[in-house]
Short mmCIF file of all heavy atoms in Angstrom, two decimals:
data_model
loop_
_atom_site.label_atom_id
_atom_site.label_comp_id
_atom_site.label_asym_id
_atom_site.label_seq_id
_atom_site.Cartn_x
_atom_site.Cartn_y
_atom_site.Cartn_z
N GLN J 19 -73.23 -66.19 19.60
CA GLN J 19 -72.30 -67.04 18.87
C GLN J 19 -72.70 -68.50 19.07
O GLN J 19 -72.88 -68.95 20.20
CB GLN J 19 -70.87 -66.82 19.35
CG GLN J 19 -70.32 -65.44 19.03
CD GLN J 19 -68.91 -65.26 19.53
OE1 GLN J 19 -68.70 -64.90 20.69
NE2 GLN J 19 -67.95 -65.51 18.67
N LEU J 20 -72.81 -69.23 17.96
CA LEU J 20 -73.19 -70.64 17.97
C LEU J 20 -72.24 -71.40 17.06
O LEU J 20 -72.03 -71.00 15.91
CB LEU J 20 -74.62 -70.82 17.48
CG LEU J 20 -75.71 -70.08 18.27
CD1 LEU J 20 -77.03 -70.13 17.50
CD2 LEU J 20 -75.88 -70.70 19.65
N VAL J 21 -71.67 -72.50 17.56
CA VAL J 21 -70.72 -73.30 16.80
C VAL J 21 -71.18 -74.75 16.83
O VAL J 21 -71.18 -75.38 17.88
CB VAL J 21 -69.30 -73.17 17.36
CG1 VAL J 21 -68.34 -74.03 16.54
CG2 VAL J 21 -68.85 -71.72 17.35
N GLU J 22 -71.54 -75.28 15.65
CA GLU J 22 -71.97 -76.67 15.53
C GLU J 22 -70.77 -77.57 15.28
O GLU J 22 -69.81 -77.18 14.62
CB GLU J 22 -72.97 -76.84 14.38
CG GLU J 22 -74.24 -76.02 14.51
CD GLU J 22 -74.19 -74.72 13.74
OE1 GLU J 22 -73.08 -74.17 13.56
OE2 GLU J 22 -75.26 -74.25 13.31
N SER J 23 -70.88 -78.81 15.76
CA SER J 23 -69.87 -79.83 15.49
C SER J 23 -70.50 -81.20 15.64
O SER J 23 -71.62 -81.33 16.13
CB SER J 23 -68.66 -79.68 16.42
OG SER J 23 -69.04 -79.86 17.77
N GLY J 24 -69.79 -82.23 15.22
CA GLY J 24 -70.22 -83.60 15.41
C GLY J 24 -70.76 -84.30 14.18
O GLY J 24 -71.07 -85.50 14.24
N GLY J 25 -70.89 -83.60 13.07
CA GLY J 25 -71.37 -84.23 11.86
C GLY J 25 -70.34 -85.18 11.26
O GLY J 25 -69.20 -85.24 11.70
N GLY J 26 -70.78 -85.92 10.25
CA GLY J 26 -69.89 -86.87 9.60
C GLY J 26 -70.64 -87.81 8.71
O GLY J 26 -71.83 -87.63 8.43
N LEU J 27 -69.95 -88.85 8.26
CA LEU J 27 -70.50 -89.88 7.39
C LEU J 27 -70.80 -91.12 8.21
O LEU J 27 -69.91 -91.65 8.90
CB LEU J 27 -69.51 -90.21 6.28
CG LEU J 27 -69.85 -91.38 5.36
CD1 LEU J 27 -71.12 -91.09 4.57
CD2 LEU J 27 -68.69 -91.69 4.43
N VAL J 28 -72.05 -91.58 8.15
CA VAL J 28 -72.46 -92.79 8.86
C VAL J 28 -73.31 -93.66 7.95
O VAL J 28 -73.92 -93.18 6.99
CB VAL J 28 -73.24 -92.48 10.15
CG1 VAL J 28 -72.37 -91.71 11.14
CG2 VAL J 28 -74.50 -91.69 9.84
N GLN J 29 -73.35 -94.95 8.26
CA GLN J 29 -74.20 -95.88 7.52
C GLN J 29 -75.64 -95.80 8.02
O GLN J 29 -75.89 -95.39 9.16
CB GLN J 29 -73.68 -97.31 7.67
CG GLN J 29 -72.31 -97.53 7.05
CD GLN J 29 -71.87 -98.97 7.15
OE1 GLN J 29 -72.48 -99.78 7.83
NE2 GLN J 29 -70.78 -99.30 6.47
N PRO J 30 -76.60 -96.17 7.17
CA PRO J 30 -77.98 -96.23 7.66
C PRO J 30 -78.09 -97.08 8.92
O PRO J 30 -77.48 -98.15 9.02
CB PRO J 30 -78.73 -96.85 6.48
CG PRO J 30 -77.92 -96.47 5.29
CD PRO J 30 -76.49 -96.50 5.75
N GLY J 31 -78.87 -96.60 9.87
CA GLY J 31 -78.99 -97.25 11.15
C GLY J 31 -78.00 -96.80 12.18
O GLY J 31 -78.13 -97.17 13.37
N GLY J 32 -77.02 -96.01 11.79
CA GLY J 32 -76.01 -95.53 12.70
C GLY J 32 -76.48 -94.35 13.53
O GLY J 32 -77.61 -93.88 13.42
N SER J 33 -75.56 -93.84 14.36
CA SER J 33 -75.86 -92.76 15.29
C SER J 33 -74.80 -91.67 15.22
O SER J 33 -73.63 -91.93 14.92
CB SER J 33 -75.93 -93.28 16.73
OG SER J 33 -76.98 -94.23 16.89
N LEU J 34 -75.22 -90.45 15.53
CA LEU J 34 -74.34 -89.31 15.69
C LEU J 34 -74.87 -88.44 16.81
O LEU J 34 -76.08 -88.41 17.06
CB LEU J 34 -74.25 -88.47 14.42
CG LEU J 34 -73.42 -88.98 13.24
CD1 LEU J 34 -73.64 -88.06 12.04
CD2 LEU J 34 -71.95 -89.05 13.60
N ARG J 35 -73.98 -87.71 17.47
CA ARG J 35 -74.38 -86.69 18.42
C ARG J 35 -73.80 -85.35 17.97
O ARG J 35 -72.57 -85.18 17.94
CB ARG J 35 -73.93 -87.00 19.85
CG ARG J 35 -74.55 -86.03 20.87
CD ARG J 35 -74.15 -86.33 22.29
NE ARG J 35 -72.77 -85.94 22.57
CZ ARG J 35 -72.28 -85.78 23.79
NH1 ARG J 35 -73.06 -85.98 24.85
NH2 ARG J 35 -71.01 -85.44 23.95
N LEU J 36 -74.68 -84.43 17.64
CA LEU J 36 -74.27 -83.09 17.26
C LEU J 36 -74.21 -82.19 18.49
O LEU J 36 -75.01 -82.34 19.42
CB LEU J 36 -75.25 -82.49 16.25
CG LEU J 36 -75.54 -83.33 14.99
CD1 LEU J 36 -76.45 -82.55 14.06
CD2 LEU J 36 -74.25 -83.73 14.29
N SER J 37 -73.28 -81.24 18.47
CA SER J 37 -73.12 -80.29 19.56
C SER J 37 -73.26 -78.87 19.04
O SER J 37 -72.83 -78.57 17.92
CB SER J 37 -71.75 -80.44 20.22
OG SER J 37 -71.59 -81.73 20.79
N CYS J 38 -73.85 -78.02 19.85
CA CYS J 38 -73.98 -76.59 19.55
C CYS J 38 -73.48 -75.83 20.76
O CYS J 38 -74.16 -75.78 21.79
CB CYS J 38 -75.43 -76.24 19.23
SG CYS J 38 -75.74 -74.48 19.00
N ALA J 39 -72.29 -75.26 20.64
CA ALA J 39 -71.70 -74.49 21.73
C ALA J 39 -72.15 -73.05 21.63
O ALA J 39 -71.96 -72.41 20.59
CB ALA J 39 -70.18 -74.59 21.67
N ALA J 40 -72.72 -72.53 22.70
CA ALA J 40 -73.32 -71.20 22.72
C ALA J 40 -72.53 -70.25 23.59
O ALA J 40 -72.01 -70.64 24.65
CB ALA J 40 -74.76 -71.27 23.21
N SER J 41 -72.45 -69.00 23.17
CA SER J 41 -71.79 -67.97 23.96
C SER J 41 -72.31 -66.61 23.53
O SER J 41 -72.92 -66.47 22.47
CB SER J 41 -70.26 -68.03 23.81
OG SER J 41 -69.87 -67.79 22.48
N GLY J 42 -72.05 -65.60 24.36
CA GLY J 42 -72.36 -64.23 24.01
C GLY J 42 -73.76 -63.76 24.36
O GLY J 42 -74.13 -62.64 23.98
N PHE J 43 -74.52 -64.58 25.08
CA PHE J 43 -75.87 -64.19 25.46
C PHE J 43 -76.30 -64.97 26.69
O PHE J 43 -75.67 -65.97 27.07
CB PHE J 43 -76.85 -64.38 24.31
CG PHE J 43 -76.98 -65.80 23.84
CD1 PHE J 43 -78.06 -66.58 24.23
CD2 PHE J 43 -76.04 -66.37 23.00
CE1 PHE J 43 -78.19 -67.89 23.78
CE2 PHE J 43 -76.15 -67.68 22.55
CZ PHE J 43 -77.24 -68.44 22.94
N THR J 44 -77.39 -64.52 27.30
CA THR J 44 -77.93 -65.15 28.51
C THR J 44 -78.84 -66.30 28.10
O THR J 44 -79.97 -66.08 27.65
CB THR J 44 -78.68 -64.13 29.36
OG1 THR J 44 -77.80 -63.06 29.72
CG2 THR J 44 -79.21 -64.78 30.63
N LEU J 45 -78.36 -67.53 28.27
CA LEU J 45 -79.09 -68.68 27.75
C LEU J 45 -80.44 -68.87 28.41
O LEU J 45 -81.37 -69.38 27.76
CB LEU J 45 -78.24 -69.95 27.89
CG LEU J 45 -77.30 -70.26 26.73
CD1 LEU J 45 -76.21 -69.21 26.58
CD2 LEU J 45 -76.69 -71.64 26.87
N ASP J 46 -80.60 -68.49 29.67
CA ASP J 46 -81.87 -68.66 30.36
C ASP J 46 -83.00 -67.88 29.70
O ASP J 46 -84.17 -68.20 29.91
CB ASP J 46 -81.75 -68.22 31.82
CG ASP J 46 -81.10 -69.26 32.70
OD1 ASP J 46 -80.96 -70.42 32.27
OD2 ASP J 46 -80.73 -68.90 33.84
N SER J 47 -82.67 -66.89 28.90
CA SER J 47 -83.67 -66.07 28.23
C SER J 47 -83.95 -66.52 26.80
O SER J 47 -84.72 -65.86 26.10
CB SER J 47 -83.24 -64.60 28.22
OG SER J 47 -83.07 -64.11 29.54
N TYR J 48 -83.35 -67.63 26.37
CA TYR J 48 -83.41 -68.04 24.97
C TYR J 48 -83.96 -69.45 24.79
O TYR J 48 -83.91 -70.29 25.69
CB TYR J 48 -82.01 -67.99 24.36
CG TYR J 48 -81.60 -66.63 23.87
CD1 TYR J 48 -81.28 -65.62 24.77
CD2 TYR J 48 -81.55 -66.35 22.51
CE1 TYR J 48 -80.92 -64.36 24.32
CE2 TYR J 48 -81.18 -65.09 22.06
CZ TYR J 48 -80.86 -64.11 22.97
OH TYR J 48 -80.50 -62.86 22.53
N ASP J 49 -84.47 -69.69 23.58
CA ASP J 49 -84.72 -71.03 23.07
C ASP J 49 -83.65 -71.35 22.02
O ASP J 49 -83.23 -70.46 21.28
CB ASP J 49 -86.10 -71.15 22.46
CG ASP J 49 -87.21 -70.96 23.47
OD1 ASP J 49 -87.02 -71.31 24.64
OD2 ASP J 49 -88.29 -70.46 23.08
N ILE J 50 -83.23 -72.61 21.97
CA ILE J 50 -82.23 -73.07 21.02
C ILE J 50 -82.85 -74.16 20.16
O ILE J 50 -83.57 -75.02 20.67
CB ILE J 50 -80.98 -73.63 21.73
CG1 ILE J 50 -80.48 -72.66 22.81
CG2 ILE J 50 -79.89 -73.93 20.71
CD1 ILE J 50 -79.97 -71.34 22.29
#
C-alpha cells in the first residue's frame, strides 16, 4: 500500500515536498 500526498499549486521557482506513506510489506527488501 502506497499513499502519496503533498502536491499542489506553486509558482515557478517554488518548492514542494511530496510524501509516500508505505505499508503492507517489508521495506528493507524493496526499492521505492
Side-chain angles (χ1 to χ4, degrees):
Q19 293 179 275
L20 301 169
V21 180
E22 300 97 331
S23 62
L27 173 64
V28 297
Q29 295 183 350
S33 297
L34 285 172
R35 189 179 74 163
L36 307 183
S37 298
C38 174
S41 63
F43 62 101
T44 302
L45 272 65
D46 281 347
S47 300
Y48 276 73
D49 295 329
I50 311 295

